[in-house]
Amino acid sequence: MDIIRIIIAIILPPLGVFLQVGLGKHFWLNILLTILGYIPGIVHAVWIIAKK
């Protein structure tokens, strides 16, 4: 299941974080990082998914 979340995180980072942690602080941080730059959003999303 984590492989699917990582693939989703690469395509749409906030969705991958949402599927992992819900509407918490990490979700909103990831939206901000994705707006500021797509790559930081991906890195943060994969990090959140791999951490759990």
Side-chain angles (χ1 to χ4, degrees):
M1 189 70 171
D2 283 342
I3 299 297
I4 295 170
R5 286 187 186 139
I6 290 175
I7 292 170
I8 291 172
I10 292 171
I11 297 169
L12 191 61
L15 181 59
V17 173
F18 174 75
L19 292 174
Q20 186 71 26
V21 297
L23 284 174
K25 63 180 178 179
H26 291 294
F27 173 74
W28 296 109
L29 176 62
N30 190 267
I31 287 182
L32 179 66
L33 287 171
T34 303
I35 289 171
L36 293 175
Y38 189 67
I39 300 299
I42 291 173
V43 170
H44 178 256
V46 171
W47 179 69
I48 292 295
I49 293 168
K51 187 174 80 168
K52 295 271 178 175

